[in-house]
């Protein structure tokens, strides 16, 4: 059963969804559009506002659909847009013999439903494709005075935000001084409440990103042993003071705005002349999915440039509400693909967006770790020189192994290292890993612990995230 | 960071922990950077300097007693290619229990490959996974003091150079080729081992068990371990030898068990003796009967009725009492001679029907031909398909498309229908067929099930997909 526009009208939850979908029907939004007629399936990847593309699959037989976006409208605008393309430009879909693994996963989980009746399909309930298309086409022509008024209002809002953030930073500075005066022992013990209160103030005063970071301090402290917490508290609070000073020195700097108030949109990053673009082959090292105290889930996907001579990393970072449930991942650890990435402007570019994802790459080795490097954390020190407010830094460690201390806690140690340098690991590791020599390991160093992502060994690639 | 700065940092840290102003405790160089502002700002500036000093100049102190595990040994077979690992992981995830996981491992091993250690590792106590994994079993057991795996032939001299699982594998192989040499080794070295290991060694005697083993097994009647004595008695029974003397006291268990069986006659022209289980009068009696079947040997029971093993099996009335039939089949599997086991399997498979399913209890002792005959019999009757999940010690990759006629008729409506119970049974059957089928059959069966309405990515097709992919990989790598 193919799609017609009436069916799409009937499936759409409201007129707004149809209007939003109409804007996504441009081919450029869809780096991938494929179909398998035998299985009555079509699927695609739509580049949404996040770092990862949304994956959409539609069953043309019974009009079942699934999208990885966090929208609570069903079907979402991405699913509607895919159906719309199928109805209007079916040649956009490349025939595929096999279905991708994520489509298979959905097929394996779903329960087939009966296709909606034609009566139901014919009742569009006041929604109109024509109107949606017209809304899209009709761009209102503003007069010069209106443009000036709008820009003046934007400038005024920006000025208000800046003064509000400035006041927020003053309040945070005072709060940090209070913590030092009252004692960090008490702060560590009550960090949950204390951080929550100041974070709420910062949100009110538009320093949202900084509030999110403050909110995470208690869990970062609690992941350490009690004797390590005061030092960690000094590091965390000291970095906040430093960040506040850096913002005051350059409040319009995109990196400072991102770290203190709000992040740029995808469009702003794409339009930024300072954003570095790198076209290369990338390997997905691993993912970290963490639920934050502010109710958001942060989904980090770490990539490694496998064509670079020295280790170069990229981070695809998305946030979505925890209430949206678990999202399926756009990448699988170990995947390798050619892509052009654009990095958010930064002193230490790391966070990136996929501009253009191409085909899969099968060959390519990890860059060699400099054997002359005596300090496995040299990359971290370099990162700190450039951006001392950063907390987590990806590092590629030289040959080594995982060992256990007397308490059973794991440590990474360099192979044959006469200095006995060892770095503690954040979480328990698989017992099997204790017997495997690691030729190279990629991990995140947060100043206290390693968070393992992946490693190479005589047993091949090891997923450790 | 110099020593003065370190001392200053430690003092500032202590001050901040309890609360207070640390400016006067800071190193002079730091005071100069932080000075010239209000007291709060001074403290915050010092906090920034201290934070960066802690971040880059100090590292967590590594304990002096970090322990390294011995390197995980490489196995004798090549590793499964990376592109097939997701299929293996999916199949392992779908396997409900250890037995199901071992089936996945055995299927991969039947294609001459081993799993990645991060996907699956045998347990330290594992005795069911393919022999190629013995070095990993030993590594899991964490044997200390042995730093190498001997590739030499096992002898009394190099006995301790072998880890227990590697030793077990070497001994099993030796029992198949040179049973007398292996027995001599077990006799010489086994007595010095703890009871648990002694028991595992005596279990290996069932490979190539023969009359020459009788004196050694009889010698075990004085073993310190009751389990070893019991096992030796079972092995002797398989050789037609009567049981070892009991522990003493109480009624003779064989006589007690015989009381639960009634001998009778049947047939008008050719009169023959029949042995029918007597229905127990209470759950306690049923329980006692089960215990007696578990401890008595077939040869002793048959002798008690004045016949040999084969006559006793021929006269047993299958179908009269389901529980008794199962206990009896287990008894034959544990203590029957090879001839008795084969006779029972052949008779029941030839007769077919439900009693043939009792042969499932004998599986570990059947040869390949008899195992396959039983499985083909089960595949022919849709009513018994569910019993496939009880299969033990089956071999991978031999069921052909032609063997599946009845199975397909049963599976098609089940996978496409809405009856959850039927679908669950179909899932179990498909999982078992993923192990038993040839790769070509597996591939065809996936297509057939998808056509019948099953989602292509259904987890229960996991083992079939792996089976088909293994063959494709091998044919591509041969090109």
């Amino acid at each position: 059963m193919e799609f017609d526009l009436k069916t799409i009208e009937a499936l759409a939850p409201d007129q707004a969804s149809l209007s939003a979908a109409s804007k996504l029907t441009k081919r450029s939004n869809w780096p991938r559009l494929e179909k398998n007629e035998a299985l009555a399936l079509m699927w695609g990847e739509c580049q949404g506002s996040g770092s990862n593309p949304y994956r959409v699959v539609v069953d043309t037989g019974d009009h079942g659909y699934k999208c990885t976006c966090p929208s609570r409208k069903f079907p979402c605008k991405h699913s509607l847009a895919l159906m719309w393309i199928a109805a209007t430009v079916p040649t956009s879909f490349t025939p595929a013999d096999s279905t991708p693994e994520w489509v298979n996963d959905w097929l394996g989980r779903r329960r087939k439903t009966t296709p909606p009746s034609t009566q139901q399909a014919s009742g569009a309930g006041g929604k109109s494709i024509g109107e949606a298309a017209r809304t899209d086409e009709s761009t209102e022509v503003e007069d010069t005075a209106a443009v000036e008024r709008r820009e003046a209002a934007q400038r005024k809002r920006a000025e208000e935000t800046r003064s509000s953030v400035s006041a927020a930073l003053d309040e945070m500075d005072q709060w940090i001084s209070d913590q030092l005066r009252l004692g960090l022992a008490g702060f560590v013990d009550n960090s949950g409440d204390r951080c929550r209160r100041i974070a709420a103030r910062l949100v009110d005063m538009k320093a949202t990103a900084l509030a999110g970071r403050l909110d995470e301090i208690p869990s970062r402290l609690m992941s350490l042993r009690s004797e390590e917490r005061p030092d960690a508290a000094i590091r965390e609070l000291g970095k906040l003071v430093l960040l506040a000073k850096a913002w005051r020195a350059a409040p319009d700097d995109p990196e400072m705005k991102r770290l203190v108030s709000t992040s740029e949109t995808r469009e702003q990053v794409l339009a930024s002349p300072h954003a570095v673009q790198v076209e290369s082959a990338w390997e997905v090292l691993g993912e970290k999915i963490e639920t934050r105290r502010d109710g958001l889930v942060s989904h980090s996907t770490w990539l490694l440039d496998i064509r670079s001579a020295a280790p170069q990393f990229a981070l695809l970072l998305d946030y979505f509400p925890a209430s949206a449930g678990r999202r399926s991942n756009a990448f699988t650890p170990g995947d390798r693909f050619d892509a052009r990435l654009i990095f958010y402007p930064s002193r230490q570019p790391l966070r990136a967006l996929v501009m253009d994802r191409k085909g899969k790459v099968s060959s390519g080795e990890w860059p060699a770790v400099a054997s002359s490097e005596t300090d496995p954390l040299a990359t971290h020190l370099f990162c700190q020189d450039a951006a001392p407010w950063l907390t987590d830094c990806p590092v590629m460690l030289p040959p080594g192994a995982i060992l256990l201390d007397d308490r059973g806690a794991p440590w990474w140690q360099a192979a044959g290292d006469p200095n006995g340098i060892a770095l503690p690991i954040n979480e328990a590791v698989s017992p099997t890993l204790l017997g495997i020599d690691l030729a190279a390991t990629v991990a995140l160093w947060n100043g206290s612990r390693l968070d393992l992502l992946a490693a190479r060994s005589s047993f091949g690639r090891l997923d450790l995230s | 960071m110099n020593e003065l700065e370190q001392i200053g940092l430690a003092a500032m840290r202590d001050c901040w922990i309890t609360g207070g102003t640390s400016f006067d405790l800071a190193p002079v160089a730091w005071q100069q950077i932080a000075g010239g502002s209000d007291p709060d700002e001074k403290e915050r500036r010092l906090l920034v300097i201290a934070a960066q000093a802690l971040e880059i100049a100090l590292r967590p102190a590594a304990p002096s007693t970090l322990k390294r595990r011995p390197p995980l040994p490489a196995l004798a077979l090549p590793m499964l290619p990376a592109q097939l690992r997701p299929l293996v992981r999916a199949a392992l995830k779908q396997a409900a229990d250890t037995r199901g996981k071992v089936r996945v491992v055995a299927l991969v091993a039947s294609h001459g490959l081993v799993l990645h250690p991060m996907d699956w590792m045998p347990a330290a106590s594992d005795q069911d996974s393919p022999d190629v994994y013995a070095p990993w079993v030993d590594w899991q057991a964490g044997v200390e003091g042995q730093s190498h795996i001997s590739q030499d032939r096992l002898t009394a001299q190099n006995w301790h150079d072998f880890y227990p699982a590697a030793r077990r594998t070497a001994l099993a192989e030796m029992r198949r080729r040179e049973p007398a040499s292996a027995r001599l080794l077990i006799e010489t070295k086994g007595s010095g081992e703890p009871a648990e290991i002694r028991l595992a060694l005596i279990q290996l005697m069932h490979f190539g068990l023969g009359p020459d083993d009788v004196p050694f097994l009889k010698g075990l009647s004085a073993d310190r371990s009751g389990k070893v004595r019991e096992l030796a008695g079972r092995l002797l029974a398989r050789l037609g030898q009567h049981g070892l003397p009991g522990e003493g006291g109480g009624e003779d268990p064989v006589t007690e068990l015989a009381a639960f069986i009634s001998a009778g006659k049947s047939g008008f022209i050719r009169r023959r003796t029949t042995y029918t289980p007597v229905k127990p009068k209470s759950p306690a009696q049923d329980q006692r009967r089960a215990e007696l079947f578990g401890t008595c040997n077939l040869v002793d029971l048959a002798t008690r009725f004045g016949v040999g093993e084969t006559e006793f099996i021929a006269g047993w009335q299958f179908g009269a009492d389901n529980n008794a039939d199962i206990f009896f089949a287990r008894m034959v599997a544990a203590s029957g001679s090879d001839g008795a086991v084969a006779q029972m399997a052949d008779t029941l498979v030839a007769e077919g029907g439900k009693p043939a399913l009792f042969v499932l209890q004998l599986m570990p002792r059947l040869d390949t031909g008899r195992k396959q005959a039983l499985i083909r019999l089960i595949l022919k009757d849709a009513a018994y398909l569910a019993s496939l999940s009880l299969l033990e010690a089956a071999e991978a990759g031999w069921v052909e498309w032609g063997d599946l006629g009845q199975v397909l008729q049963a599976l098609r409506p089940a996978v496409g229908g809405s009856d959850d119970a039927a679908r669950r049974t179909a899932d179990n059957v498909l999982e078992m067929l993923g192990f038993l089928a040839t790769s070509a059959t597996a591939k065809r069966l996936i297509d057939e099930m998808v056509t019948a309405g099953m989602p292509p990515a259904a987890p229960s097709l996991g083992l079939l997909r792996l089976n088909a992919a293994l063959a494709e990989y091998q044919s591509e790598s041969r090109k």
Side-chain angles (χ1 to χ4, degrees):
Chain A
M1 190 189 300
E2 289 303 328
F3 279 97
D4 54 43
L5 294 175
K6 280 209 173 305
T7 312
I8 299 167
E9 260 178 8
L11 285 170
D14 52 32
Q15 181 64 41
S17 297
L18 273 178
S19 303
S22 81
K23 293 182 182 125
L24 291 173
T25 51
K26 288 179 199 134
R27 184 67 180 81
S28 58
N29 286 318
W30 296 84
R32 183 178 190 181
L33 279 174
E34 291 175 351
K35 66 176 174 185
N36 183 317
E37 284 180 353
L39 296 173
L41 287 173
M42 55 188 188
W43 59 90
E45 288 179 355
C46 178
Q47 191 56 66
S49 54
S51 304
N52 295 313
Y54 296 129
R55 290 175 157 178
V56 192
V57 53
V58 172
D59 185 331
T60 55
D62 62 5
H63 302 165
Y65 51 84
K66 168 73 185 170
C67 178
T68 58
C69 79
S71 169
R72 290 175 188 141
K73 288 186 177 176
F74 302 103
C76 65
K77 59 183 178 181
H78 310 102
S79 306
L80 289 170
L82 188 86
M83 297 175 198
W84 199 327
I85 298 171
T88 52
V89 201
T91 49
S92 307
F93 290 82
T94 314
D97 293 334
S98 59
T99 47
E101 201 57 39
W102 57 273
V103 173
N104 288 341
D105 281 350
W106 176 66
L107 290 175
R109 281 199 303 270
R110 75 180 292 233
R111 275 177 178 272
K112 283 254 184 186
T113 51
T114 8
S117 66
T118 38
Q119 272 79 11
Q120 194 188 344
S122 64
K127 298 161 282 176
S128 155
I129 285 268
E131 191 182 323
R134 270 199 302 281
T135 314
D136 188 34
E137 284 159 10
S138 63
T139 43
E140 284 175 26
V141 182
E142 290 179 296
D143 59 26
T144 322
V147 171
E148 277 177 10
R149 272 199 306 277
R150 186 165 48 83
E151 285 176 353
Q154 275 175 355
R155 277 196 301 275
K156 192 178 171 211
R157 274 201 305 275
E159 193 52 47
E160 282 170 0
T161 303
R162 188 189 294 185
S163 62
S164 178
V165 168
S166 177
L169 295 183
D170 289 345
E171 198 160 315
M172 184 187 74
D173 271 353
Q174 189 54 55
W175 175 80
I176 289 173
S177 295
D178 291 345
Q179 304 314 310
L180 294 178
R181 215 175 1 258
L182 293 167
L184 292 180
F187 169 71
V188 167
D189 290 343
N190 298 304
S191 58
D193 286 346
R194 292 191 191 180
C195 289
R196 183 77 269 201
R197 277 200 293 274
I198 185 69
R201 286 289 300 149
L202 295 185
V203 169
D204 292 344
M205 299 166 87
K206 297 183 180 167
T208 321
L210 197 59
R213 179 166 168 168
L214 246 161
D215 239 352
E216 292 310 301
I217 289 178
S219 66
R220 291 168 71 91
L221 295 181
M222 290 308 128
S223 68
L224 301 172
R225 289 205 293 264
S226 56
E227 65 267 28
E228 296 172 288
R229 290 175 194 161
D231 281 357
I234 291 172
R235 280 205 315 271
E236 295 283 353
L237 297 180
K239 280 175 186 286
L240 291 179
V241 174
L242 194 61
L243 185 55
K245 288 187 184 307
W247 184 90
R248 286 191 190 101
D252 291 328
D253 181 279
E255 182 180 10
M256 289 304 118
K257 279 168 115 172
R258 194 182 317 130
L259 292 171
V260 172
S261 49
T262 50
S263 183
E264 310 94 309
T265 62
R266 179 183 172 84
E267 288 67 34
Q268 284 170 326
V269 176
L270 291 174
S272 168
H274 306 295
V276 180
Q277 297 184 19
V278 179
E279 182 164 356
S280 190
W282 302 90
E283 177 176 317
V284 180
L285 291 169
E287 293 181 313
K288 297 280 173 197
I289 299 172
E290 289 164 346
T291 306
R292 301 172 3 141
R293 286 185 78 199
D294 56 11
L296 288 178
V297 174
S298 75
H299 182 172
S300 321
T301 307
W302 289 92
L303 307 179
L304 173 68
D305 182 344
I306 50 174
R307 292 221 183 102
S308 165
Q312 296 290 336
F313 302 95
L315 164 66
L316 306 179
L317 181 61
D318 276 330
Y319 295 101
F320 56 92
S323 53
R326 188 180 155 75
R327 288 176 60 187
S328 43
N329 307 334
F331 301 103
T332 310
D335 274 357
R336 289 169 161 207
F337 54 87
D338 266 323
R340 177 185 288 273
L341 261 54
I342 183 164
F343 286 80
Y344 284 70
S346 168
R347 285 152 190 80
Q348 188 61 40
L350 205 55
R351 187 174 171 189
L353 296 167
V354 178
M355 286 180 78
D356 186 15
R357 184 176 171 184
K358 294 161 188 164
K360 285 197 168 187
V361 180
S362 55
S363 62
E365 285 299 312
W366 283 11
V369 190
S371 56
S372 57
E373 235 25 293
T374 49
D375 185 355
L377 292 180
T379 324
H380 174 67
L381 301 186
F382 180 77
C383 266
Q384 288 294 314
D385 271 353
W389 43 79
L390 289 183
T391 49
D392 292 2
C393 170
V395 289
M396 184 176 280
L397 302 169
I402 310 293
L403 295 83
L404 293 181
D405 65 16
D406 288 340
R407 308 179 196 204
W411 292 67
W412 172 90
Q413 190 168 47
D417 178 11
N419 304 317
I421 293 175
L423 302 170
I425 294 170
N426 200 16
E427 288 172 344
V429 297
S430 154
T432 305
L433 193 59
L434 301 173
I436 299 179
D437 288 324
L438 308 174
T441 307
V442 178
L444 302 176
W445 175 252
N446 67 8
S448 308
R449 294 284 190 276
L450 286 172
D451 225 339
L452 302 179
L453 288 173
R456 298 204 70 86
S457 72
S458 57
F459 290 99
R461 188 185 186 285
L462 309 174
D463 292 330
L464 306 175
S465 65
Chain B
M1 205 161 46
N2 61 37
E3 198 178 336
L4 278 177
E5 285 173 328
Q6 284 188 25
I7 293 168
L9 175 61
M12 289 161 66
R13 179 184 172 276
D14 290 345
C15 170
W16 281 333
I17 288 174
T18 50
T21 312
S22 68
F23 188 79
D24 296 337
L25 304 167
V28 176
W30 295 11
Q31 285 180 350
Q32 285 168 356
I33 299 169
S37 53
D38 68 78
D40 278 356
E41 178 61 16
K42 277 185 197 171
E43 286 300 304
R44 284 196 297 269
R45 287 181 183 181
L46 285 175
L47 181 71
V48 171
I49 299 170
Q52 276 315 93
L54 288 168
E55 179 81 40
I56 62 169
L58 295 180
R59 296 283 162 78
S64 56
T65 54
L66 285 176
K67 282 185 199 146
R68 170 90 216 261
R69 285 210 66 184
L72 184 69
L75 300 182
L77 291 177
M79 189 84 67
L80 189 81
Q83 69 264 29
L84 296 184
R85 285 181 60 193
L87 285 176
V88 162
R89 285 197 287 261
L92 287 169
K93 196 175 167 193
Q94 174 65 11
D97 52 14
T98 312
R99 216 163 51 168
K101 290 187 199 307
V102 168
R103 271 201 291 272
V104 179
V105 176
L107 175 68
V108 174
S110 73
H111 287 264
L113 297 164
V114 288
L115 266 58
H116 192 284
M118 295 296 277
D119 292 337
W120 179 83
M121 277 293 276
S125 57
D126 189 301
Q127 292 193 17
D128 300 324
S129 54
D131 289 349
V132 68
Y133 288 97
W136 284 3
V137 175
D138 284 327
W139 185 84
Q140 285 281 64
V143 179
E144 300 292 340
Q146 303 281 334
S147 58
H148 73 282
I149 295 167
S150 179
Q151 298 296 322
D152 302 334
R153 179 191 156 85
L154 180 66
T155 62
Q157 285 70 42
N158 66 12
W159 179 267
H160 292 291
D161 293 345
F162 280 71
Y163 295 151
R167 195 189 293 147
R168 208 165 45 239
T169 307
L171 267 174
E173 187 54 32
M174 200 188 283
R175 272 296 290 177
R176 288 187 191 106
R177 287 182 288 105
E178 306 163 64
S181 308
R183 184 184 63 243
L184 194 64
L185 259 181
I186 294 171
E187 197 169 356
T188 314
K189 304 300 294 183
S191 57
E193 297 287 352
E196 195 182 326
I197 294 181
R198 228 163 44 243
L199 184 71
L201 291 175
I202 308 299
Q203 270 165 351
L204 296 174
M205 293 291 294
H206 77 82
F207 293 110
L209 188 69
D212 292 347
D213 298 320
V214 169
F216 167 60
L217 291 172
K218 282 192 169 167
L220 293 172
S221 62
D223 195 278
R224 301 183 297 282
S225 158
K227 283 187 179 171
V228 169
R229 288 199 300 274
E230 188 186 326
L231 177 62
R234 293 279 194 208
L235 293 171
L236 278 170
R238 287 192 198 181
L239 293 168
Q241 300 287 321
H242 290 284
L244 297 170
E247 300 286 331
E251 195 182 351
D252 175 20
V254 178
T255 310
E256 196 182 347
L257 177 59
F260 285 108
I261 299 161
S262 89
K265 292 285 178 191
S266 76
F268 292 107
I269 301 165
R270 268 185 65 202
R271 298 284 286 169
R272 62 189 189 94
T273 311
T274 59
Y275 303 99
T276 311
V278 177
K279 200 158 178 62
K281 290 176 183 148
S282 65
Q285 268 199 357
D286 192 31
Q287 174 70 22
R288 178 62 185 154
R289 185 179 67 169
E291 285 168 12
L292 290 167
F293 268 115
T295 50
C296 295
N297 296 329
L298 175 65
V299 64
D300 297 330
L301 184 62
T303 307
R304 176 67 187 71
F305 285 95
V307 292
E309 288 175 310
T310 49
E311 291 88 349
F312 192 74
I313 290 171
W316 184 267
Q317 297 301 289
F318 283 101
D321 180 336
N322 191 55
N323 278 354
D325 289 344
I326 291 173
F327 299 145
F328 180 63
R330 284 181 189 161
M331 176 197 239
V332 174
S335 65
S337 64
D338 290 346
V341 170
Q343 181 212 354
M344 181 168 159
D346 291 346
T347 310
L348 292 180
V349 169
E351 285 174 8
K354 197 182 168 195
L357 298 182
F358 297 127
V359 182
L360 284 168
Q361 308 291 337
L362 307 179
M363 276 295 279
R365 293 200 53 197
L366 296 182
D367 55 35
T368 303
R370 288 191 169 89
K371 282 177 187 171
Q372 294 187 356
L374 171 65
I375 293 168
R376 284 204 172 95
L377 185 77
I378 294 172
L379 293 177
K380 274 184 192 155
D381 195 331
Y384 303 137
L385 281 180
S387 60
L388 273 181
S389 59
L390 302 172
L391 276 182
E392 267 184 273
E395 283 148 24
W398 58 270
V399 168
E400 300 284 359
W401 186 250
D403 296 323
L404 298 182
Q406 294 299 314
V407 180
L408 292 174
Q409 281 188 19
L411 289 180
R412 279 191 203 110
V415 300
S418 56
D419 181 348
D420 282 348
R423 217 167 21 208
R424 269 197 300 277
T425 307
D427 284 348
N428 291 338
V429 171
L430 286 169
E431 211 184 321
M432 197 65 209
L433 288 174
F435 172 73
L436 294 171
T438 61
S439 297
T441 307
K443 201 164 184 290
R444 217 169 145 185
L445 188 53
I446 294 170
D447 294 341
E448 189 72 23
M449 290 301 102
V450 171
T451 309
M454 202 161 195
S460 48
L461 295 178
L463 207 50
L464 285 163
R465 271 196 297 271
L466 174 63
N467 191 334
L470 280 165
E472 268 173 32
Y473 164 74
Q474 283 181 321
S475 70
E476 273 171 26
S477 57
R478 271 196 292 269
K479 280 177 194 169

